[in-house]
Amino acid sequence: MAHSESIKISAHPNLYNGKNGRELRIDFSLPTQGTNNETGIVVFVPGFGGNVDSKVYKKMRETFADQYNLITMQCDYFGNRFMQGAKNISIDQSKVKEILSIDELALVADKKATILELITNKELTIQVAEDLQEDLDEFNDMGFMQAIDIITAIEALKIILVDNKIEFDTKRLIGYGHSHGAFLLHLCNKMYEPFSFIIDNSAWIEPLYLHENRQLFNRFENSKLLIEFDYIAKDIIKNKDNLNLFEIYKGFENKAQILTFQGTEDNLVDYQEKIKLMNNISNAEYILITESDVDNIKYKSHKHGLDADFLELFNYALSFEKKASDELIEKRKNFAIGDLEFILDTSHGLPIFSIN
């Protein structure tokens, strides 16, 4: 079995309030048989509902290291904890009084039952809210801080490998992302990382939840809860076009090989716009999944995320991988995204970003 490690390092300062002291968790696995000069690195980036502890990602880190001669890695990026399922539901008190009887309200007041216990015994659909408790110290920014954490994790792993004289192919860096995770790979590609290959499963063109609330349906006992997540990034991110892939890739000379999988029934992404985007990016190609393409092996639908089997999809995507160019791909220096000018300092080892 692959050798796995989980470490924590000092994270990049918070772009939004300048605070230091953040920690960044990085999990990685090395092939059982050791590494050589053909051993690449793959970074997994989950979207909403996925994280470094998800069973499927743990399995991929351990399995792919041996199966494909890869150093596999993943990090727990800024605000990711707010992107999971519901943990702290709040219910509007006026709705509670409409749903519960006087006797049931008395049970709640006497702490003999909880509101949730009583509500979930009823056959109805209730709209509730997730109490996210986000603040400037950490929130789901859906953008630059999340990308910076991924970049930091990749560069930190490279330093560890070099310091420990662990051989690897410095030109082979694969990014494998799902939904918002795939979007973040595109953002990393613009901001810093010289990826050799980006595998994009259903990246959106712009984070939807910068404009509207995220909604999850959860069934509890007899009731169904419609849970709303109202992210503060909607108010904090003023120019949302800066997080639009058309803006991000505008005038950018892309060096990475990009392969996009996109379904025709994706309710979060206009597939025609996604095709238009990919056609405007050099070295990019797409595989459009229609209903007739669903094979129930690597993808089980043509909706958002394709109900993909992540392991099978990765195996298929690798059949398209081209040999990384021998041309040295320089990391970004100062650059602009929309109306933001980024200043990049790489003189101290790990990259430091600031916005002018």
Side-chain angles (χ1 to χ4, degrees):
M1 182 178 288
H3 174 74
S4 299
E5 296 280 355
S6 182
I7 62 172
K8 289 184 178 180
I9 64 170
S10 295
H12 190 284
N14 187 323
L15 283 179
Y16 300 99
N17 61 12
K19 289 186 72 171
N20 286 304
R22 298 175 54 240
E23 277 192 333
L24 178 62
R25 175 182 165 188
I26 307 169
D27 284 26
F28 63 94
S29 296
L30 303 174
T32 305
Q33 68 273 20
T35 64
N36 53 45
N37 61 8
E38 295 182 351
T39 305
I41 296 175
V42 59
V43 55
F44 302 124
V45 187
F48 285 79
N51 58 65
V52 72
D53 290 313
S54 298
K55 290 181 180 178
V56 65
Y57 283 104
K58 185 174 185 292
K59 181 178 181 180
M60 286 195 296
R61 290 197 303 271
E62 294 175 348
T63 303
F64 289 6
D66 286 341
Q67 187 172 350
Y68 300 110
N69 187 27
L70 290 168
I71 298 166
T72 60
M73 64 166 295
Q74 194 174 348
C75 69
D76 197 7
Y77 55 77
F78 185 80
N80 178 256
R81 65 192 179 97
F82 301 115
M83 296 166 54
Q84 308 308 309
K87 297 177 182 176
N88 192 20
I89 294 171
S90 63
I91 307 173
D92 187 280
Q93 289 303 307
S94 62
K95 292 181 181 177
V96 170
K97 291 177 182 178
E98 293 175 3
I99 296 168
L100 299 184
S101 67
I102 293 173
D103 290 341
E104 289 171 327
L105 289 170
L107 289 174
V108 173
D110 294 338
K111 297 184 177 179
K112 293 180 179 178
T114 67
I115 293 173
L116 192 59
E117 285 172 344
L118 296 172
I119 284 177
T120 53
N121 286 326
K122 301 176 184 295
E123 292 188 8
L124 38 78
T125 299
I126 312 159
Q127 187 169 342
V128 299
E130 173 71 359
D131 185 8
L132 287 163
Q133 300 178 0
E134 295 178 295
D135 57 33
L136 278 182
D137 284 349
E138 187 184 5
F139 65 100
N140 174 23
D141 81 328
M142 294 178 256
F144 300 120
M145 279 303 303
Q146 295 182 345
I148 286 171
D149 276 350
I150 296 164
I151 291 166
T152 301
I154 293 169
E155 289 303 297
L157 177 61
K158 288 180 179 178
I159 290 171
I160 290 169
L161 296 175
V162 171
D163 286 351
N164 287 276
K165 296 181 172 56
I166 298 173
E167 197 173 13
F168 67 101
D169 184 346
T170 58
K171 297 188 295 295
R172 191 182 183 209
L173 176 61
I174 302 170
Y176 185 35
H178 169 253
S179 187
H180 180 63
F183 168 84
L184 290 176
L185 285 173
H186 289 291
L187 187 54
C188 291
N189 189 39
K190 171 63 180 278
M191 293 178 69
Y192 190 79
E193 276 304 321
F195 287 102
S196 60
F197 190 26
I198 293 174
I199 305 169
D200 161 1
N201 174 7
S202 306
W204 46 27
I205 294 172
E206 183 175 315
L208 178 66
Y209 306 131
L210 289 175
H211 302 276
E212 59 188 68
N213 290 349
R214 176 188 177 208
Q215 295 186 333
L216 284 184
F217 274 106
N218 277 12
R219 180 169 287 282
F220 286 87
E221 302 294 336
N222 296 318
S223 68
K224 184 186 288 185
L225 300 187
L226 173 59
I227 308 166
E228 281 204 319
F229 294 70
D230 186 4
Y231 293 110
I232 64 173
K234 287 194 304 182
D235 299 318
I236 293 171
I237 309 299
K238 299 302 182 184
N239 188 348
K240 296 172 176 54
D241 284 346
N242 292 333
L243 290 175
N244 184 293
L245 288 181
F246 280 100
E247 188 66 45
I248 288 166
Y249 275 113
K250 183 186 294 183
F252 177 61
E253 187 181 351
N254 174 58
K255 299 291 183 66
Q257 178 191 355
I258 299 174
L259 178 63
T260 287
F261 295 89
Q262 193 67 56
T264 55
E265 288 296 314
D266 193 322
N267 64 326
L268 300 182
V269 184
D270 182 335
Y271 77 90
Q272 292 176 321
E273 283 296 294
K274 188 69 176 290
I275 291 171
K276 181 180 175 182
L277 172 72
M278 290 298 122
N279 285 337
N280 288 333
I281 301 173
S282 57
N283 303 317
E285 57 185 318
Y286 58 87
I287 295 177
L288 191 62
I289 311 303
T290 66
E291 185 174 11
S292 63
D293 296 315
V294 174
D295 60 6
N296 291 310
I297 299 173
K298 52 186 177 293
Y299 17 76
K300 300 179 178 65
S301 82
H302 54 313
K303 298 178 181 179
H304 186 70
L306 308 175
D307 291 320
D309 182 310
F310 291 171
L311 286 80
E312 290 290 343
L313 187 64
F314 184 80
N315 183 63
Y316 179 63
L318 277 192
S319 67
F320 292 84
E321 184 185 15
K322 301 170 185 174
K323 183 175 175 58
S325 171
D326 290 331
E327 174 190 358
L328 177 64
I329 304 173
E330 293 185 2
K331 294 181 175 63
R332 316 293 171 248
K333 297 180 181 176
N334 296 350
F335 61 95
I337 296 178
D339 60 4
L340 298 178
E341 181 184 351
F342 285 81
I343 300 168
L344 180 56
D345 179 4
T346 58
S347 62
H348 304 290
L350 293 176
I352 299 296
F353 296 82
S354 58
I355 300 177
N356 186 12

